[in-house]
Amino acid sequence: MNSIFNLTLEELISVLESNGFKKYNATQVFEGIYKKRVSDFDDISNISKELKSFLSSNYSLDYLSVIDALKNENTNKYLLNIGTESIECVLMKHDYATSLCISTQVGCNMSCAFCESGRLKKVRDLSVSEIVLQVLTIEKLENIRIQNIVIMGIGEPFDNYDNLVKALDILTCPKGIEIGSRHITVSTCGIVPKIYEFADLKTQVNLAISLHAPNDMLRSKLMPINKAYKISEVMEALDYYIEKTNRRVTIEYIMLDGVNDTKECAYELISLLKGKLMYVNLIPYNSTSHSEFKRCSKEKINNFYQILSSNGIGVGVRREMGKNIKGACGQLRASHKENHEN
Ligand code: SF4
């Protein structure tokens, strides 16, 4: 049965109107499932018996089930069941708010050299409901409201673009979950045509780019997507996004020991970004047993940070959360798969 959480408000209006119900009924249903979080359509008190029966016969209200959870002081990592597959999401509890990092695909085809999810390859795209339900399921499980969402779990969001955009519509809908657009960040490896499409939506959703290298030769080695879209093309697309939205773009830069952490790399990065509305997020690398890469020392990260910062580039080092609980994207799912396959 189709999940009700696949439908945007517009789509629900059209389904209900074409089945003889009123437009305002869609708002009542949305408020019932997203504001009151009913677990049965019968519990939406302000709709007719006919509508309850129509909904129950055509749509499911099921949440996702949790297969595994690893917790530490400020980070919980969950493996969620989606039929024959599983997906990951990570809850991070900061002093000021809670953030949930969610996935958009099962595995990923982008094959970034340093990434666990890329190692497992894409099995399929997540449906709209599977993206939205990560948020609803964790909120119910933890009895919390999530303030920030980062779409940088498993998968390349722009490789599942249509479902991503619908899920964003539902997550931000004032009649629904109502998370502010500015509290959501989508992270892409740089699929250029989709950056233009996303900019044209003129949403206030934040954009982050996984750059990870300041020149094409190195980036193509780390991220095969760079063979399709060069850094200069990504930068042009980001300029367009900034012009359309006036939103600052985050440049994600994972620090790999001896690979992209040199002074030369820092200066190349500065000349790429100087004068642009961009902010660099330096990410300490989480080594895994499969990886050929090593973690940079704190000192190297700090040196890199200082060079950028003293040259007028906005920069921060990502606070490490979840390092001891298979914190990097895809690690929990990868280790589960291996345990079951061995
Ligand atoms: S880093 Fe992101 S885009 Fe690259 S393989 Fe991993 S999940 Fe895919």
Side-chain angles (χ1 to χ4, degrees):
M1 195 181 282
N2 190 7
S3 168
I4 191 80
F5 302 110
N6 276 318
L7 300 180
T8 63
L9 185 58
E10 284 304 309
E11 288 172 334
L12 185 58
I13 289 171
S14 131
V15 167
L16 293 189
E17 283 189 331
S18 59
N19 283 279
F21 298 102
K22 300 276 183 257
K23 183 176 177 181
Y24 67 82
N25 289 142
T27 307
Q28 293 170 317
V29 174
F30 244 55
E31 287 176 344
I33 61 178
Y34 290 115
K35 300 273 192 224
K36 299 191 186 113
R37 307 279 167 104
V38 296
S39 51
D40 192 316
F41 291 115
D42 279 346
D43 296 336
I44 307 178
S45 52
N46 55 350
I47 60 173
S48 65
K49 262 192 187 165
E50 290 71 26
L51 179 51
K52 287 176 186 174
S53 149
F54 171 79
L55 292 168
S56 313
S57 334
N58 291 287
Y59 295 100
S60 92
L61 255 178
D62 295 339
Y63 280 25
L64 304 176
S65 56
V66 178
I67 302 170
D68 197 1
L70 294 174
K71 300 188 178 185
N72 75 9
E73 204 183 313
N74 47 24
T75 309
N76 299 354
K77 187 155 196 166
Y78 305 92
L79 195 64
L80 304 172
N81 178 270
I82 50 159
T84 55
E85 295 296 334
S86 58
I87 47 171
E88 270 184 30
C89 61
V90 182
L91 178 67
M92 292 156 286
K93 300 171 194 161
H94 311 281
D95 298 336
Y96 49 92
T98 51
S99 300
L100 187 70
C101 177
I102 62 176
S103 298
T104 50
Q105 297 179 316
V106 179
C108 182
N109 272 348
M110 298 299 140
S111 303
C112 300
F114 47 81
C115 176
E116 279 287 307
S117 306
R119 201 168 60 79
L120 291 180
K121 294 288 165 223
K122 177 173 121 177
V123 179
R124 70 169 173 86
D125 289 330
L126 295 193
S127 64
V128 176
S129 61
E130 287 164 344
I131 299 173
V132 169
L133 278 169
Q134 293 172 63
V135 178
L136 296 179
T137 301
I138 299 307
E139 286 194 338
K140 184 175 179 198
L141 188 76
E142 296 291 336
N143 195 21
I144 51 168
R145 284 285 179 265
I146 288 158
Q147 283 89 22
N148 301 300
I149 295 179
V150 283
I151 306 181
M152 42 177 92
I154 300 174
E156 163 51 51
F158 283 176
D159 189 37
N160 185 13
Y161 187 80
D162 293 345
N163 288 350
L164 168 77
V165 169
K166 279 189 191 178
L168 288 173
D169 185 320
I170 294 170
L171 291 168
T172 55
C173 177
K175 306 289 181 201
I177 304 178
E178 204 179 1
I179 294 178
S181 301
R182 292 175 172 220
H183 291 269
I184 302 179
T185 301
V186 174
S187 175
T188 174
C189 65
I191 300 183
V192 164
K194 295 298 175 194
I195 298 176
Y196 284 102
E197 267 188 60
F198 196 67
D200 286 334
L201 292 178
K202 292 195 185 132
T203 146
Q204 290 292 291
V205 169
N206 303 300
L207 187 61
I209 298 291
S210 299
L211 192 69
H212 306 317
N215 61 62
D216 284 323
M217 212 201 309
L218 180 54
R219 192 167 191 263
S220 295
K221 278 189 203 154
L222 297 175
M223 303 178 72
I225 189 71
N226 199 69
K227 292 174 190 151
Y229 305 111
K230 301 275 170 261
I231 293 178
S232 57
E233 295 171 72
V234 173
M235 286 296 148
E236 261 178 50
L238 294 182
D239 288 342
Y240 182 79
Y241 168 86
I242 293 168
E243 187 192 307
K244 287 280 167 182
T245 63
N246 205 27
R247 301 290 294 153
R248 185 178 76 173
V249 170
T250 301
I251 302 293
E252 305 283 358
Y253 197 97
I254 199 161
M255 298 291 297
L256 304 169
D257 190 38
V259 177
N260 62 357
D261 58 348
T262 60
K263 261 189 192 172
E264 293 70 31
C265 284
Y267 283 108
E268 277 184 287
L269 195 56
I270 291 163
S271 48
L272 267 183
L273 307 181
K274 192 99 186 164
K276 294 185 190 284
L277 190 57
M278 294 183 185
Y279 176 87
V280 180
N281 197 11
L282 299 177
I283 307 167
Y285 178 63
N286 269 336
S287 314
T288 69
S289 51
H290 304 279
S291 174
E292 56 182 289
F293 300 107
K294 290 202 182 62
R295 190 179 175 79
C296 275
S297 65
K298 276 193 179 147
E299 197 191 347
K300 276 192 179 172
I301 296 178
N302 198 36
N303 289 345
F304 202 88
Y305 170 94
Q306 290 300 341
I307 298 175
L308 297 187
S309 172
S310 59
N311 280 277
I313 303 292
V315 56
V317 179
R318 183 183 290 174
R319 198 174 137 209
E320 287 202 80
M321 301 181 91
K323 190 176 152 209
N324 56 346
I325 57 164
K326 303 179 195 297
C329 89
Q331 282 184 20
L332 179 59
R333 179 171 168 268
S335 69
H336 242 261
K337 257 187 119 59
E338 271 155 19
N339 290 341
H340 287 282
E341 283 164 6
N342 287 339

